[in-house]
Amino acid sequence: MNWLTGVIPHLKALHVAMLLLWCAGLFALPLMLARHDPAIGQSDYTRMRKATHFAYTLCVTPAAVIAIASGTALIFLREVFVTWMFVKLVAVALLVTFHVWVGYAVVAVAERRKAPHGPKGMGVAITLLVALILGILTLVLAKPELGEVPLPDWLHEPRGQPLPFDVPRR
């Protein structure tokens, strides 16, 4: 297990680098999508559409996958099983949802001539993204003591009842 301790700083650096690339891409892609205007001419429209597609598929999405994988590894290597981490994971899930929404918009632009989201809607998207990223940074840097999440007593003890579905036997 000693060699794993030496890997943690490198894994953390990879995680931070991929987060920077992922978040920068999530800022850039909605702004690029807002520039999709069929009135600019077919060649320019095609160039812009291809640029957003390649940025999403070859840069932003791989960075997201590597950031999530390295972050997951860090959780287990550092054994950070505390409440603020679970709240952070919910915020990361919202960031993934934003990523999927951007992917939907990239595909929609490729399939339709009219952009599904104009420049006016991008202000709301960017504001949401800033709030998510600031929330995640606050949780990671402050590591607030959130205490235990209040759950009903029946969730803290086994009930001794069978599962509501059949488990297949091999």
Side-chain angles (χ1 to χ4, degrees):
M1 197 70 160
N2 263 347
W3 68 273
L4 282 176
T5 331
V7 172
I8 289 175
H10 302 289
L11 195 57
K12 197 176 280 193
L14 175 68
H15 181 64
V16 169
M18 291 300 108
L19 278 172
L20 287 171
L21 189 59
W22 182 24
C23 292
L26 288 180
F27 277 112
L29 282 168
L31 297 174
M32 290 171 72
L33 286 169
R35 308 257 318 148
H36 283 103
D37 184 12
I40 62 175
Q42 184 60 43
S43 64
D44 288 336
Y45 182 78
T46 302
R47 184 174 43 85
M48 183 65 85
R49 186 181 54 76
K50 284 182 179 179
T52 55
H53 173 76
F54 288 130
Y56 184 80
T57 58
L58 298 177
C59 186
V60 178
T61 299
V65 170
I66 294 169
I68 291 170
S70 60
T72 303
L74 283 168
I75 290 171
F76 287 102
L77 286 174
R78 299 289 311 263
E79 297 179 358
V80 186
F81 304 109
V82 291
T83 307
W84 69 263
M85 178 57 76
F86 296 117
V87 173
K88 178 199 164 223
L89 291 177
V90 169
V92 170
L94 291 172
L95 197 61
V96 169
T97 304
F98 187 86
H99 181 97
V100 170
W101 173 76
V102 169
Y104 163 77
V106 168
V107 170
V109 164
E111 292 177 352
R112 293 184 292 233
R113 194 97 169 112
K114 183 171 178 1
H117 309 288
K120 293 178 184 171
M122 290 304 122
V124 174
I126 297 296
T127 303
L128 175 66
L129 182 60
V130 167
L132 274 172
I133 291 172
L134 288 177
I136 291 170
L137 279 173
T138 301
L139 287 168
V140 169
L141 297 175
K143 294 176 180 48
E145 181 61 42
L146 300 176
E148 192 172 317
V149 177
L151 295 173
D153 288 336
W154 59 270
L155 279 176
H156 289 286
E157 60 187 51
R159 305 298 288 175
Q161 298 175 348
L163 295 173
F165 53 85
D166 287 334
V167 177
R169 297 176 192 254
R170 297 202 184 246

